Amino acid sequence: MKAITVEPKKPGSARWEEAPEPDERDGSVLVEAVAAGVCGTDAEIVEGKYGWAPQGKGRLVLGHESLGRVLDPGPRSSLKRGDLVVGIVRRPDPVPCPNCAVGEWDMCRNGEYTERGIKQIDGFMSERWRIEPEYAVKVAPELGLLGVLLEPTTVVAKAWEQVSIVGKRAYWEPQRALVTGAGPIGLLAALIGRLHGLEVHVLDRVTTGPKPELVKSLGATYHSGAMADLGFEPDIIIECTGVGQVISDCFQHIGAGGAICLTGIGSGGRAGGVVADVASEIVLKNNVVVGSVNANKRHWYKAAQDLARADREWLTRLVSRRVRPEDFAHAFERSPDDVKVVLDFAKA
């Protein structure tokens, strides 16, 4: 079979090449790849910024946003041949820490977790892959190719859960939410906000292309100016850019008693004056800032429910390009109209 592999931390080393069949030790469920989503994490690994190969290997199979069809469910699975599944990305650390011991591996406290396609476990950008039954999530067949959106949806399903937990510290009836960034994560965050019945606003830099219309189609409001010009203070901010100045603006413009959830990290400028502003902008207004990364099994099931409730036509518009795996380099070339680029391995 073939797979997209990379030598971690070596720029320009990604290639579509012959690879061994997946080892049964990687899981009793054998899956034929249908699609794999491409995200910023994959791009950064290809650029050599980080990534870790499995122990004893020099190369890592890329890919953590998966969709596949079961070829062999194995001896201890409730799955059936032909079922559509996605693979959970993170695995608990071997110690395990208290959080990993109870299935909260997304909250790992010692950093010894591993992740498919990122850290010490091969990913899903291969023609076939194996997975443990307990880490395979069945996808509703009517979702088809859109099942590849499940992994990014888990990220924001967790973010919204974190905001909900924080809100319960006091009497709180949030009405208005702001999502910063209209990439796939931001748009999916806006989707969940609308499913929760909130008034949702999305702030991004672009003024043309598909993103403004995708936001409007949700019944949300799109903005392209400065946060200071919005004319309101949101009760909730889901920050999806990782840009320092945007994060600083969030601290200054969140409403009293509000919650900010940071989901993005990046090098998009320094958050000037943040430390000095914390006392006046966070403490005195009883605001909370929480960071959120990855997801555990609970969030995968919540995300699957959210996608099942979403408008199929709208979800279809999120997939802006489908690229064959042998042409994977084109998937990493960002177009202004790109939202979610998907590697198309087989027909869903």
Side-chain angles (χ1 to χ4, degrees), residues 138-286:
K138 188 175 177 179
V139 173
E142 56 268 25
L143 270 179
L145 179 77
L146 300 175
V148 78
L149 298 173
L150 184 52
E151 192 279 336
T153 308
T154 68
V155 174
V156 286
K158 177 185 174 181
W160 277 106
E161 181 190 80
Q162 294 288 301
V163 165
S164 176
I165 292 169
V166 165
K168 292 174 183 176
R169 66 196 168 125
Y171 178 75
W172 192 45
E173 287 188 336
Q175 303 295 318
R176 185 180 288 147
L178 173 67
V179 176
T180 55
I185 294 293
L187 289 168
L188 290 167
L191 166 68
I192 294 178
R194 291 294 296 138
L195 291 175
H196 288 178
L198 293 170
E199 176 187 323
V200 175
H201 298 256
V202 178
L203 179 67
D204 197 280
R205 297 178 300 177
V206 303
T207 57
T208 60
K211 293 178 181 179
E213 186 53 42
L214 281 164
V215 171
K216 293 174 185 176
S217 297
L218 280 176
T221 304
Y222 186 85
H223 305 267
S224 59
M227 198 177 300
D229 298 331
L230 292 179
F232 64 87
E233 292 185 330
D235 305 305
I236 298 167
I237 299 179
I238 308 292
E239 205 299 300
C240 304
T241 70
V243 175
Q245 187 57 58
V246 176
I247 294 171
S248 177
D249 289 345
C250 291
F251 293 169
Q252 296 177 53
H253 296 290
I254 185 72
I260 301 168
C261 185
L262 307 179
T263 69
I265 56 174
S267 56
R270 298 181 63 185
V274 169
V275 174
D277 290 339
V278 165
S280 60
E281 302 296 344
I282 300 296
V283 177
L284 296 181
K285 293 200 298 184
N286 283 304

Side-chain angles (χ1 to χ4, degrees), residues 1-30:
M1 70 167 192
K2 285 192 169 184
I4 300 171
T5 72
V6 64
E7 184 178 336
K9 301 184 179 68
K10 184 177 180 181
S13 64
R15 58 182 184 243
W16 171 246
E17 63 177 353
E18 292 292 337
E21 289 289 335
D23 195 308
E24 287 190 23
R25 290 174 294 184
D26 295 334
S28 58
V29 181
L30 179 63

Side-chain angles (χ1 to χ4, degrees), residues 24 27-32 69-77 79-83 129-131 133:
E24 287 190 23
S28 58
V29 181
L30 179 63
V31 180
E32 171 192 31
R69 183 181 294 104
V70 174
L71 293 175
D72 181 357
R76 58 185 185 91
S77 168
L79 295 168
K80 297 181 176 61
R81 181 180 174 87
D83 283 346
W129 40 271
R130 284 188 174 271
I131 194 162

Side-chain angles (χ1 to χ4, degrees), residues 318-329:
L318 292 187
V319 180
S320 48
R321 278 196 297 137
R322 298 168 65 172
V323 179
R324 295 295 301 169
E326 57 266 31
D327 299 321
F328 73 91

